[in-house]
Amino acid sequence: MPRTTSGSTAGRHDDLIPGDVLSALADLDVEVLGDDGDNVRIRCPAHLSRTGKVDRRPSCYVHVQSGQFICFSCEWAGSFARFVAFMQGTDSAHANAWISAKGTIGRALRLLKGEDRHREVEPGEPVSEAQMVLFTTPPEAARRKRGLTLESCEMFGVRWDLTRRCWILPIRAAEGHLLGWQEKSKRHFRNFPDGVEKGTTLFGAHVDFDGPLVLLESPLDAVRLYSAGIEGGKATYGAHVSREQMSLALGLADTLILAQDDDAAGRSARAKIYYSYRCKGSVLKYWNYLDTGAKDPGEMTDDEIRDCYDAAYTPLRRRLKQFAAYE
Protein backbone atom coordinates (compact mmCIF):
# COMPACT_ATOMS: atom_id res chain seq x y z
CA MET A 1 0.00 0.00 0.00
CA PRO A 2 1.29 3.52 -0.68
CA ARG A 3 2.60 5.25 2.41
CA THR A 4 3.64 8.70 3.52
CA THR A 5 7.29 9.07 4.45
CA SER A 6 9.24 11.64 6.43
CA GLY A 7 10.81 12.87 3.21
CA SER A 8 7.45 13.65 1.63
CA THR A 9 7.29 17.29 2.65
CA ALA A 10 4.74 19.70 1.25
CA GLY A 11 5.79 23.07 -0.02
CA ARG A 12 9.51 22.37 -0.72
CA HIS A 13 10.95 25.01 -3.05
CA ASP A 14 13.05 22.38 -4.88
CA ASP A 15 10.10 20.08 -5.61
CA LEU A 16 9.82 19.44 -9.33
CA ILE A 17 6.69 19.70 -11.45
CA PRO A 18 6.02 17.44 -14.44
CA GLY A 19 5.94 19.12 -17.82
CA ASP A 20 2.63 17.27 -18.31
CA VAL A 21 0.80 16.75 -15.01
CA LEU A 22 -2.06 14.79 -16.62
CA SER A 23 0.31 12.28 -18.22
CA ALA A 24 2.15 11.88 -14.93
CA LEU A 25 -1.14 11.11 -13.17
CA ALA A 26 -1.91 8.49 -15.80
CA ASP A 27 1.52 6.91 -15.25
CA LEU A 28 0.69 6.72 -11.55
CA ASP A 29 -2.58 4.89 -12.41
CA VAL A 30 -4.68 7.79 -11.11
CA GLU A 31 -8.12 8.08 -12.70
CA VAL A 32 -9.30 11.60 -13.56
CA LEU A 33 -12.97 11.95 -12.62
CA GLY A 34 -13.55 15.46 -13.94
CA ASP A 35 -11.91 18.81 -14.66
CA ASP A 36 -12.66 22.53 -14.92
CA GLY A 37 -9.73 23.44 -17.12
CA ASP A 38 -7.39 24.47 -14.30
CA ASN A 39 -7.89 21.53 -11.94
CA VAL A 40 -8.70 17.85 -12.24
CA ARG A 41 -10.73 15.91 -9.69
CA ILE A 42 -9.51 12.51 -8.53
CA ARG A 43 -10.27 9.98 -5.82
CA CYS A 44 -8.00 10.75 -2.86
CA PRO A 45 -5.40 7.95 -2.63
CA ALA A 46 -4.57 8.80 1.00
CA HIS A 47 -8.16 8.95 2.23
CA LEU A 48 -8.34 5.37 3.51
CA SER A 49 -5.07 5.54 5.43
CA ARG A 50 -5.90 8.96 6.92
CA THR A 51 -9.55 8.39 7.83
CA GLY A 52 -10.04 4.62 7.85
CA LYS A 53 -12.75 4.99 5.21
CA VAL A 54 -12.83 4.70 1.42
CA ASP A 55 -13.20 8.01 -0.45
CA ARG A 56 -16.77 7.56 -1.71
CA ARG A 57 -17.39 11.25 -2.48
CA PRO A 58 -14.17 12.39 -4.15
CA SER A 59 -13.20 16.02 -3.52
CA CYS A 60 -9.48 15.79 -4.20
CA TYR A 61 -8.12 18.22 -6.82
CA VAL A 62 -4.80 18.54 -8.63
CA HIS A 63 -3.86 21.81 -10.34
CA VAL A 64 -2.69 20.97 -13.86
CA GLN A 65 -0.05 23.75 -13.97
CA SER A 66 1.49 23.79 -10.49
CA GLY A 67 0.90 20.14 -9.55
CA GLN A 68 -0.38 21.26 -6.14
CA PHE A 69 -3.13 19.03 -4.74
CA ILE A 70 -5.66 19.10 -1.91
CA CYS A 71 -8.37 16.79 -0.61
CA PHE A 72 -11.14 18.91 0.90
CA SER A 73 -12.45 15.89 2.78
CA CYS A 74 -9.38 14.63 4.67
CA GLU A 75 -7.21 17.80 4.28
CA TRP A 76 -4.31 15.95 2.62
CA ALA A 77 -2.44 18.52 0.52
CA GLY A 78 0.95 19.53 -0.85
CA SER A 79 3.29 19.46 -3.82
CA PHE A 80 3.24 17.00 -6.71
CA ALA A 81 6.45 15.47 -5.37
CA ARG A 82 4.63 14.68 -2.14
CA PHE A 83 1.83 13.07 -4.14
CA VAL A 84 4.31 10.92 -6.09
CA ALA A 85 6.14 9.94 -2.89
CA PHE A 86 2.90 8.68 -1.38
CA MET A 87 1.83 6.79 -4.49
CA GLN A 88 5.19 5.06 -4.82
CA GLY A 89 5.87 4.59 -1.11
CA THR A 90 9.16 6.44 -1.32
CA ASP A 91 10.74 9.71 -0.19
CA SER A 92 10.93 13.20 -1.72
CA ALA A 93 14.31 12.65 -3.36
CA HIS A 94 13.16 9.52 -5.21
CA ALA A 95 9.86 11.20 -6.10
CA ASN A 96 11.72 14.15 -7.66
CA ALA A 97 13.94 11.73 -9.57
CA TRP A 98 10.86 10.00 -10.98
CA ILE A 99 9.34 13.37 -11.98
CA SER A 100 12.63 14.45 -13.54
CA ALA A 101 12.65 11.34 -15.73
CA LYS A 102 9.23 12.39 -17.06
CA GLY A 103 10.46 15.81 -18.18
CA THR A 104 10.04 18.65 -15.72
CA ILE A 105 9.87 22.32 -15.05
CA GLY A 106 11.12 23.72 -11.73
CA ARG A 107 8.88 25.52 -9.27
CA ALA A 108 10.91 28.72 -9.56
CA LEU A 109 10.29 28.85 -13.32
CA ARG A 110 6.57 28.32 -12.76
CA LEU A 111 6.49 31.21 -10.32
CA LEU A 112 8.46 33.51 -12.63
CA LYS A 113 6.01 32.78 -15.43
CA GLY A 114 3.12 33.47 -13.08
CA GLU A 115 1.58 30.07 -13.79
CA ASP A 116 1.40 29.13 -10.12
CA ARG A 117 -0.94 32.00 -9.26
CA HIS A 118 -4.69 31.83 -9.16
CA ARG A 119 -6.65 32.61 -12.27
CA GLU A 120 -8.61 35.85 -12.28
CA VAL A 121 -12.35 35.46 -12.37
CA GLU A 122 -14.78 37.50 -14.38
CA PRO A 123 -17.26 39.76 -12.52
CA GLY A 124 -20.15 37.65 -11.29
CA GLU A 125 -18.34 34.36 -11.90
CA PRO A 126 -18.50 32.09 -8.83
CA VAL A 127 -15.25 31.16 -7.08
CA SER A 128 -14.48 27.45 -7.17
CA GLU A 129 -13.35 25.37 -4.20
CA ALA A 130 -10.83 23.85 -6.58
CA GLN A 131 -9.00 27.18 -6.79
CA MET A 132 -7.87 26.69 -3.20
CA VAL A 133 -5.70 23.81 -4.44
CA LEU A 134 -3.07 26.39 -5.45
CA PHE A 135 -2.44 27.18 -1.82
CA THR A 136 -0.66 25.07 0.78
CA THR A 137 -0.72 24.43 4.51
CA PRO A 138 0.72 27.45 6.37
CA PRO A 139 4.39 26.74 7.11
CA GLU A 140 5.47 26.09 10.68
CA ALA A 141 7.58 29.27 10.92
CA ALA A 142 4.64 31.48 9.89
CA ARG A 143 2.29 29.70 12.30
CA ARG A 144 4.75 29.95 15.17
CA LYS A 145 5.25 33.69 14.60
CA ARG A 146 1.50 34.24 14.90
CA GLY A 147 0.96 31.72 17.69
CA LEU A 148 -1.30 29.56 15.54
CA THR A 149 -1.65 25.81 15.78
CA LEU A 150 -1.97 23.60 12.72
CA GLU A 151 -5.29 22.34 14.07
CA SER A 152 -6.70 25.87 14.28
CA CYS A 153 -5.58 26.71 10.73
CA GLU A 154 -7.24 23.55 9.43
CA MET A 155 -10.41 24.22 11.41
CA PHE A 156 -10.85 27.65 9.76
CA GLY A 157 -9.52 26.54 6.37
CA VAL A 158 -6.58 28.97 6.47
CA ARG A 159 -4.06 28.42 3.64
CA TRP A 160 -0.73 29.88 2.47
CA ASP A 161 0.31 31.38 -0.88
CA LEU A 162 3.85 30.27 -1.69
CA THR A 163 4.10 32.84 -4.48
CA ARG A 164 3.40 35.93 -2.41
CA ARG A 165 4.27 34.38 0.96
CA CYS A 166 0.98 35.53 2.42
CA TRP A 167 -1.97 34.16 4.37
CA ILE A 168 -5.08 33.03 2.49
CA LEU A 169 -8.15 33.65 4.63
CA PRO A 170 -11.33 32.15 3.12
CA ILE A 171 -14.47 34.23 2.90
CA ARG A 172 -17.38 31.83 3.27
CA ALA A 173 -21.11 32.28 3.59
CA ALA A 174 -22.67 31.15 6.87
CA GLU A 175 -23.72 27.95 5.11
CA GLY A 176 -20.08 27.26 4.26
CA HIS A 177 -19.80 27.81 0.50
CA LEU A 178 -16.78 29.75 -0.73
CA LEU A 179 -17.25 33.39 -1.78
CA GLY A 180 -13.58 34.30 -2.14
CA TRP A 181 -10.62 34.95 0.10
CA GLN A 182 -8.46 37.61 1.68
CA GLU A 183 -4.72 37.67 0.96
CA LYS A 184 -2.72 39.16 3.80
CA SER A 185 0.92 39.82 4.68
CA LYS A 186 2.95 42.82 5.84
CA ARG A 187 3.52 43.93 2.24
CA HIS A 188 0.44 42.60 0.50
CA PHE A 189 -3.29 42.86 1.07
CA ARG A 190 -6.11 42.03 -1.30
CA ASN A 191 -9.67 40.75 -1.30
CA PHE A 192 -10.26 38.20 -4.07
CA PRO A 193 -12.20 38.45 -6.26
CA ASP A 194 -12.57 42.21 -6.44
CA GLY A 195 -15.89 43.25 -4.94
CA VAL A 196 -16.42 40.05 -2.92
CA GLU A 197 -19.28 40.61 -0.46
CA LYS A 198 -17.46 39.94 2.80
CA GLY A 199 -19.84 42.28 4.66
CA THR A 200 -22.61 39.69 4.45
CA THR A 201 -20.77 37.05 6.49
CA LEU A 202 -18.29 36.48 9.31
CA PHE A 203 -14.96 34.71 9.13
CA GLY A 204 -15.51 31.36 10.82
CA ALA A 205 -19.31 31.63 10.76
CA HIS A 206 -19.55 28.03 9.57
CA VAL A 207 -17.33 26.69 12.39
CA ASP A 208 -19.27 25.20 15.33
CA PHE A 209 -18.46 26.43 18.83
CA ASP A 210 -19.63 26.42 22.46
CA GLY A 211 -19.91 29.46 24.71
CA PRO A 212 -19.90 33.19 23.87
CA LEU A 213 -19.15 34.52 20.40
CA VAL A 214 -16.09 36.81 20.36
CA LEU A 215 -16.44 39.42 17.62
CA LEU A 216 -13.03 40.44 16.22
CA GLU A 217 -11.69 42.57 13.39
CA SER A 218 -9.01 40.26 11.96
CA PRO A 219 -9.60 36.67 10.80
CA LEU A 220 -6.17 35.67 12.11
CA ASP A 221 -7.23 36.83 15.60
CA ALA A 222 -10.11 34.33 15.46
CA VAL A 223 -7.61 31.59 14.62
CA ARG A 224 -5.35 32.85 17.42
CA LEU A 225 -8.18 32.55 19.95
CA TYR A 226 -8.90 28.99 18.85
CA SER A 227 -5.19 28.18 19.26
CA ALA A 228 -5.44 29.42 22.86
CA GLY A 229 -8.46 27.22 23.56
CA ILE A 230 -11.32 29.68 22.91
CA GLU A 231 -13.67 28.40 20.21
CA GLY A 232 -16.04 31.30 19.57
CA GLY A 233 -13.85 33.75 17.63
CA LYS A 234 -15.54 35.24 14.54
CA ALA A 235 -14.17 38.16 12.53
CA THR A 236 -15.68 40.95 10.43
CA TYR A 237 -12.70 41.38 8.07
CA GLY A 238 -12.04 44.88 9.40
CA ALA A 239 -13.26 47.51 11.87
CA HIS A 240 -16.58 48.13 10.11
CA VAL A 241 -19.43 45.85 11.18
CA SER A 242 -22.44 45.66 8.88
CA ARG A 243 -26.04 45.04 9.88
CA GLU A 244 -25.91 41.66 8.15
CA GLN A 245 -22.85 40.65 10.17
CA MET A 246 -24.46 41.70 13.46
CA SER A 247 -27.67 39.90 12.58
CA LEU A 248 -25.66 36.78 11.88
CA ALA A 249 -23.65 37.12 15.12
CA LEU A 250 -26.77 37.66 17.24
CA GLY A 251 -28.28 34.52 15.74
CA LEU A 252 -25.25 32.41 16.60
CA ALA A 253 -24.91 33.04 20.35
CA ASP A 254 -26.74 34.34 23.41
CA THR A 255 -23.64 36.25 24.55
CA LEU A 256 -21.36 38.37 22.36
CA ILE A 257 -17.98 39.69 23.50
CA LEU A 258 -16.96 42.73 21.46
CA ALA A 259 -13.20 42.49 20.92
CA GLN A 260 -12.47 45.24 18.41
CA ASP A 261 -8.90 46.54 18.38
CA ASP A 262 -7.87 48.65 21.37
CA ASP A 263 -7.33 51.84 19.38
CA ALA A 264 -9.48 54.90 18.66
CA ALA A 265 -11.25 53.34 15.65
CA GLY A 266 -11.83 50.05 17.46
CA ARG A 267 -13.17 51.64 20.64
CA SER A 268 -15.50 53.86 18.62
CA ALA A 269 -16.82 50.89 16.62
CA ARG A 270 -17.28 48.85 19.79
CA ALA A 271 -19.33 51.57 21.51
CA LYS A 272 -21.48 52.06 18.41
CA ILE A 273 -22.22 48.34 18.22
CA TYR A 274 -23.01 48.09 21.92
CA TYR A 275 -25.49 50.97 22.07
CA SER A 276 -27.14 49.96 18.80
CA TYR A 277 -27.68 46.29 19.66
CA ARG A 278 -27.76 45.96 23.48
CA CYS A 279 -31.54 45.52 23.45
CA LYS A 280 -31.69 42.95 20.63
CA GLY A 281 -31.89 39.84 22.82
CA SER A 282 -28.25 38.84 23.30
CA VAL A 283 -25.97 39.88 26.16
CA LEU A 284 -23.22 42.20 24.90
CA LYS A 285 -19.91 42.50 26.73
CA TYR A 286 -16.61 44.24 26.16
CA TRP A 287 -13.37 42.30 25.80
CA ASN A 288 -11.21 43.43 28.73
CA TYR A 289 -7.68 44.30 27.60
CA LEU A 290 -6.61 44.57 31.27
CA ASP A 291 -3.05 45.88 31.47
CA THR A 292 -1.67 43.84 28.56
CA GLY A 293 -0.81 46.86 26.40
CA ALA A 294 -1.84 44.80 23.35
CA LYS A 295 -3.69 46.37 20.43
CA ASP A 296 -5.60 43.17 19.68
CA PRO A 297 -5.78 39.55 20.91
CA GLY A 298 -3.25 38.53 18.27
CA GLU A 299 -0.54 40.34 20.24
CA MET A 300 -1.29 38.44 23.48
CA THR A 301 0.05 35.27 25.04
CA ASP A 302 -2.27 32.32 25.57
CA ASP A 303 -2.64 33.17 29.28
CA GLU A 304 -3.40 36.82 28.52
CA ILE A 305 -6.04 35.82 25.99
CA ARG A 306 -7.78 33.56 28.49
CA ASP A 307 -7.56 36.18 31.28
CA CYS A 308 -9.00 38.93 29.06
CA TYR A 309 -11.76 36.60 27.88
CA ASP A 310 -12.71 35.68 31.46
CA ALA A 311 -12.64 39.38 32.47
CA ALA A 312 -15.12 40.50 29.78
CA TYR A 313 -17.66 42.90 31.25
CA THR A 314 -20.97 44.65 30.57
CA PRO A 315 -20.30 48.42 30.33
CA LEU A 316 -23.53 49.59 32.00
CA ARG A 317 -23.16 47.23 34.95
CA ARG A 318 -19.59 48.42 35.49
CA ARG A 319 -20.76 52.05 35.46
CA LEU A 320 -23.53 51.28 37.96
CA LYS A 321 -21.01 49.62 40.28
CA GLN A 322 -18.69 52.60 39.98
CA PHE A 323 -21.59 54.99 40.71
CA ALA A 324 -22.67 52.95 43.75
CA ALA A 325 -19.13 52.93 45.08
CA TYR A 326 -18.92 56.72 44.66
CA GLU A 327 -22.21 57.22 46.52
Side-chain angles (χ1 to χ4, degrees):
M1 181 190 298
R3 59 187 176 85
T4 304
T5 68
S6 60
S8 303
T9 309
R12 287 172 52 96
H13 287 283
D14 58 348
D15 280 348
L16 297 177
I17 304 169
D20 186 340
V21 171
L22 291 176
S23 294
L25 288 174
D27 290 341
L28 291 168
D29 293 326
V30 176
E31 179 186 3
V32 173
L33 303 175
D35 73 87
D36 64 4
D38 293 323
N39 307 276
V40 295
R41 183 168 61 90
I42 65 172
R43 196 176 304 278
C44 177
H47 198 84
L48 180 61
S49 62
R50 288 171 63 87
T51 68
K53 300 178 181 178
V54 176
D55 187 10
R56 299 189 185 280
R57 296 182 178 179
S59 59
C60 185
Y61 294 86
V62 181
H63 190 258
V64 297
Q65 296 294 335
S66 70
Q68 289 282 325
F69 70 92
I70 184 172
C71 176
F72 288 101
S73 178
C74 73
E75 297 290 336
W76 186 51
S79 67
F80 198 78
R82 186 185 189 195
F83 187 91
V84 172
F86 181 89
M87 293 300 297
Q88 297 188 336
T90 186
D91 58 20
S92 182
H94 287 88
N96 275 311
W98 183 87
I99 295 171
S100 180
K102 299 293 178 184
T104 66
I105 184 167
R107 180 182 301 278
L109 183 56
R110 287 284 194 204
L111 298 183
L112 287 172
K113 285 185 172 184
E115 294 176 354
D116 208 21
R117 300 185 180 186
H118 51 66
R119 178 180 66 83
E120 298 293 336
V121 298
E122 296 297 326
E125 179 184 354
V127 175
S128 168
E129 289 281 0
Q131 287 177 272
M132 296 295 282
V133 77
L134 287 173
F135 308 120
T136 65
T137 299
E140 182 180 358
R143 298 198 312 269
R144 185 170 59 248
K145 187 175 181 179
R146 289 274 187 170
L148 309 180
T149 64
L150 179 59
E151 177 190 3
S152 66
C153 289
E154 291 178 343
M155 178 63 67
F156 287 88
V158 174
R159 308 290 288 164
W160 182 262
D161 188 338
L162 285 171
T163 304
R164 297 187 176 97
R165 298 184 63 79
C166 66
W167 297 94
I168 301 297
L169 307 166
I171 301 171
R172 294 185 179 277
E175 299 79 16
H177 68 267
L178 186 68
L179 302 175
W181 58 82
Q182 196 171 80
E183 303 169 359
K184 186 175 184 179
S185 71
K186 284 186 176 181
R187 296 180 178 84
H188 176 73
F189 180 86
R190 181 191 181 194
N191 291 317
F192 180 87
D194 293 338
V196 59
E197 291 291 339
K198 64 183 186 299
T200 62
T201 188
L202 295 169
F203 176 80
H206 66 292
V207 177
D208 293 334
F209 66 99
D210 291 321
L213 183 151
V214 183
L215 197 63
L216 302 144
E217 291 186 20
S218 169
L220 285 176
D221 285 348
V223 187
R224 177 73 186 96
L225 257 63
Y226 194 92
S227 299
I230 296 173
E231 297 180 351
K234 312 295 176 187
T236 54
Y237 299 96
H240 176 71
V241 182
S242 69
R243 291 182 179 179
E244 292 89 344
Q245 288 173 325
M246 277 306 300
S247 177
L248 178 57
L250 291 168
L252 290 174
D254 295 329
T255 299
L256 272 63
I257 299 177
L258 307 180
Q260 281 67 36
D261 290 358
D262 194 24
D263 54 22
R267 289 189 292 271
S268 176
R270 181 182 65 177
K272 183 178 180 180
I273 294 169
Y274 179 78
Y275 288 103
S276 297
Y277 294 94
R278 61 193 172 112
C279 299
K280 299 297 183 180
S282 295
V283 176
L284 299 186
K285 295 183 177 182
Y286 283 3
W287 178 270
N288 195 334
Y289 278 88
L290 299 174
D291 58 354
T292 62
K295 182 179 71 70
D296 56 52
E299 296 182 352
M300 298 179 183
T301 66
D302 285 3
D303 287 340
E304 287 175 336
I305 286 174
R306 289 189 284 265
D307 288 344
C308 292
Y309 173 81
D310 291 337
Y313 62 93
T314 303
L316 288 180
R317 289 184 180 178
R318 171 177 279 195
R319 289 186 180 182
L320 288 173
K321 287 181 179 179
Q322 291 173 339
F323 181 77
Y326 179 79
E327 290 291 315

